[in-house]
Amino acid sequence: MSKFREVLKNRNFFFLWLGQIISQLGDRLGFMALIGFAYSKKDQASSSEIFKILLFTIIPVFVIGPLAGAYVDRWDRRRTMYVSDLLRMVLVAILPFFLFYHRNLAVAYFIIFVIFCLARFFVPAKLSIVPDLVDKKDLLMANSLVNVTGMIAFVIGSGVGGVLVEWVGAERGFYLDAFSFFISAALIYFIAGKAAVPADLRKIGGEIVEVIKKSVAQEIKEGLQYFFTTPEILVSSSILFILASALGVLSMVSIVFIQDTLGSATKDLGLLIMFLGGGLFIGTLFYGRCCQRVSHYKALFTSLILTGIMLICFTLGIDRYPYFPVAMFLTFGVGMSISPIMAVVNTIIHSASDTDMRGKIFSSLEIIMHLGFLIFMYVSSILAEHFSHLLILVIVGGVFIAMGTINLVFHRKIPWLD
């Protein structure tokens, strides 16, 4: 833990890390509020209803993502982040009016679309700014802590957030989400330790028009060329595509599988997500502290194998023994096994990419991950109507095992992965 404390003593990184714990907590709370709204419209949430909600959160990746990377590399990343948070705060705060009072779902879905468009600027800015805040020797540790932010969001936002939304209602859940964006924006604003110079909106508007007319297309082209000619980034993106595809399947299938197996609509699901986040948190801490000397290659693909094994154990285990303590233990194991993947991949990308390319690279990765998620989310929603949920989940676990094993056994040693 001492090494983590040393990184967190970096004031700027600490503000970024803490702000993301709060805003991602709000994100999960907001997502649970959307699920709560969906449940209020139907007796039981179905795969198709969840797909409809997630669709409006994913489309911005393809519409805005390519442009966002070019802008992030041109703009001040800190300013991009806190302005995005403030705008999302306003939009999330007005969303309940169209969901619960005016009942205009078309406008509500448009607002959701815009909120996630803003996130497409925020995410690559956040991922790109980390190497600017810490020393190179602390980069792996910092990436582990950034991933811990997501783990804590899962633990509190998905677990406790699900219970909280059921208690206070979906509407208040959105207001709490908006407040979390305000806190995050305030923390990010003070990263540099001094007040930011007020933005000249006319100047920024002129820059946007100029970039759109002259250079965005060229910068996107350069970013894609860099992306596809850097082997480290290509391999990392392949891993993330498969991981995101698996998550797309799980998001559609596992919810109904858990509901049917454990016999509850939301309580057990929220608590299991909480234990998944706990496993991710502990696994990330363990990897960041004890496994830094393990080659990236071995850590990455061993993690894939263990994840596949644990996913199959989880599926068969709770199918045979449908008791919450069994599901809790196995879910924690899944979280532990998957935890090193993102920290390793982000570290590889940071080491391989130039500073002025990071925004484009992470925007491209966002597109690749969400493409895999969306495609397999849709495919699995169809397959779930013809095949058992158990079979689909076991196949996903088998894919993880096969991929990790093939890469560990039949590979040529690649220096940058060690």
Side-chain angles (χ1 to χ4, degrees), residues 36-291:
F37 171 76
Y39 270 83
S40 70
K41 296 302 177 185
K42 301 189 71 175
D43 293 331
Q44 179 177 330
S46 65
S47 297
S48 60
E49 190 68 18
I50 296 172
F51 176 76
K52 183 190 301 183
I53 293 173
L54 292 179
L55 186 63
F56 287 95
T57 70
I58 294 174
I59 291 175
V61 175
F62 307 102
V63 177
I64 301 298
L67 298 176
Y71 290 153
V72 165
D73 286 331
R74 283 175 161 264
W75 294 345
D76 180 273
R77 288 162 181 162
R78 182 183 67 94
R79 178 182 292 173
T80 299
M81 292 168 67
Y82 72 72
V83 170
S84 295
D85 269 346
L86 290 174
L87 291 175
R88 286 188 288 177
M89 175 194 71
V90 173
L91 292 172
V92 170
I94 66 175
L95 184 58
F97 174 77
F98 295 99
L99 288 176
F100 300 102
Y101 298 104
H102 195 269
R103 296 187 181 277
N104 189 327
L105 292 183
V107 175
Y109 284 135
F110 176 74
I111 292 173
I112 293 171
F113 171 79
V114 175
I115 289 170
F116 283 86
C117 283
L118 292 168
R120 303 283 60 81
F121 290 92
F122 184 91
V123 171
K126 179 189 75 173
L127 295 173
S128 299
I129 203 174
V130 173
D132 299 330
L133 303 180
V134 301
D135 296 332
K136 187 175 181 179
K137 64 181 178 63
D138 295 325
L139 190 55
L140 178 60
M141 194 72 64
N143 279 320
S144 295
L145 283 168
V146 167
N147 281 280
V148 167
T149 301
M151 310 315 125
I152 294 175
F154 261 96
V155 171
I156 301 177
S158 298
V160 178
V163 177
L164 187 62
V165 167
E166 186 174 341
W167 179 39
V168 304
E171 181 181 352
R172 290 191 178 97
F174 288 117
Y175 296 140
L176 292 172
D177 185 15
F179 182 68
S180 74
F181 281 124
F182 172 76
I183 298 297
S184 173
L187 288 168
I188 293 169
Y189 181 85
F190 289 107
I191 279 180
K194 59 182 179 180
V197 178
D200 186 333
L201 295 180
R202 288 180 299 178
K203 181 179 178 181
I204 292 177
E207 289 178 355
I208 293 175
V209 172
E210 181 181 353
V211 169
I212 291 176
K213 286 182 177 179
K214 297 181 179 180
S215 61
V216 166
Q218 179 63 28
E219 290 198 15
I220 293 174
K221 180 180 178 180
E222 292 173 358
L224 290 174
Q225 289 175 342
Y226 189 88
F227 187 94
F228 287 107
T229 56
T230 308
E232 300 94 325
I233 295 173
L234 274 178
V235 173
S236 299
S237 64
S238 300
I239 299 296
L240 293 179
F241 178 83
I242 293 175
L243 180 62
S245 300
L247 292 176
V249 175
L250 295 176
S251 68
M252 290 293 97
V253 177
S254 61
I255 293 177
V256 179
F257 177 74
I258 291 170
Q259 288 175 335
D260 293 343
T261 305
L262 298 181
S264 69
T266 58
K267 182 188 70 174
D268 289 335
L269 177 64
L271 292 174
L272 287 180
I273 294 176
M274 180 174 171
F275 281 99
L276 176 69
L280 289 166
F281 177 77
I282 298 300
T284 300
L285 290 178
F286 176 80
Y287 176 75
R289 179 173 176 79
C290 303
C291 301

